[in-house]
Amino acid sequence: MKKPAVLATSLAAVFATLLATPALADDFPSAISVSGEANVSVAPDLAQIDAGVANDAKTAKEASDANNAAMGKVLLALKGAGIDEKDYQTSRLSLQPQYGQNKSTGASPVVGFRASNRVTVKIRDVTKVAGIIDALVGAGANDVGNISFEVTQASKLLDEARERAVADARRKAEIYAKATGVTLGAPLSITEGGAPVPLFKARMATAPMAAPAAVAPGEETLSVTVNVSWAIKQGQ
């Protein structure tokens, strides 16, 4: 008849332990969550520009013919500059009436037409950007702008930045762990913040340039931020 008493005592001890565990856990957070950052600066290796021509004439056919001839010269200039045909593409083609104003009647009669044609050009050697712009202007392009520089190998460089960002997060977490008297455990979750877009854009005047074009590609800064939660244990 004494065995039931021993069993009841053992069960009471187990329940007391289970009840005490949550209270102990409440005194210590289960994780340390920090963010890590890393930046990589690199020179761009691809440039993209828009170039076009616009022509005015009395009739639509005259404007269109003049514009086709002008764009033909621009395309020849691109070929002469060593740009592969796959690297330039027509981006806008338009033929619009031009309106005047009849002061006596207030009407807006058609007084002519404007034809325009634009191409987008990829330049895979950024050191040649200024020279190509000069060649386009010399061939008759009277609308040049929307220059952008890009890093084509961004994925590989961002992978390096991700490793450094995680290392930065660990460094911060270890500081917090030491300051609070706990031991850093394994990472519980890792998320990347935002979506890095390694692209720089600049605009240029659309009027013909008498002096050689001055273009500065500079450097692109690729940034990565990661949010990491680390498990912790009490004590050091």
Side-chain angles (χ1 to χ4, degrees):
M1 297 296 295
K2 293 182 179 181
K3 288 184 180 181
V6 174
L7 180 59
T9 301
S10 299
L11 290 174
V14 170
F15 285 127
T17 301
L18 292 175
L19 290 173
T21 301
L24 181 63
D26 289 341
D27 294 335
F28 298 93
S30 59
I32 294 178
S33 298
V34 296
S35 62
E37 300 176 350
N39 299 318
V40 177
S41 295
V42 61
D45 56 0
L46 177 68
Q48 184 168 292
I49 63 173
D50 286 348
V53 291
N55 298 88
D56 295 331
K58 290 292 184 179
T59 68
K61 185 178 187 308
E62 290 173 342
S64 180
D65 289 345
N67 193 249
N68 289 337
M71 179 51 71
K73 294 179 181 179
V74 169
L75 296 181
L76 285 175
L78 288 174
K79 292 181 180 180
I83 304 298
D84 196 300
E85 289 188 5
K86 68 182 178 61
D87 285 333
Y88 57 87
Q89 183 179 48
T90 298
S91 57
R92 184 173 183 271
L93 181 65
S94 68
L95 178 63
Q96 300 289 337
Q98 302 297 296
Y99 298 94
Q101 186 173 1
N102 189 319
K103 295 182 179 180
S104 60
T105 64
S108 300
V110 174
V111 296
F113 290 84
R114 169 168 292 182
S116 62
N117 194 338
R118 294 181 65 82
V119 291
T120 299
V121 186
K122 291 182 179 180
I123 304 172
R124 300 184 184 277
D125 183 351
V126 295
T127 64
K128 296 181 178 180
V129 173
I132 291 173
I133 291 175
D134 291 338
L136 290 171
V137 173
N142 53 14
D143 189 356
V144 180
N146 293 330
I147 299 181
S148 65
F149 293 97
E150 185 177 348
V151 178
T152 59
Q153 299 299 320
S155 296
K156 181 179 179 180
L157 295 169
L158 285 170
D159 286 344
E160 296 175 6
R162 289 181 176 100
E163 293 181 3
R164 290 166 52 185
V166 172
D168 183 52
R170 174 178 281 279
R171 178 187 63 81
K172 293 177 182 178
E174 288 176 344
I175 292 174
Y176 286 120
K178 182 177 180 181
T180 55
V182 297
T183 301
L184 198 65
L188 299 175
S189 67
I190 301 176
T191 59
E192 184 173 309
V197 180
L199 183 66
F200 169 78
K201 291 187 176 180
R203 293 190 63 87
M204 288 188 58
T206 57
M209 295 162 285
V215 179
E219 285 190 339
E220 306 301 324
T221 299
L222 312 179
S223 301
V224 172
T225 300
V226 294
N227 302 305
V228 187
S229 292
W230 305 84
I232 60 173
K233 297 181 293 183
Q234 183 184 0
Q236 288 184 316

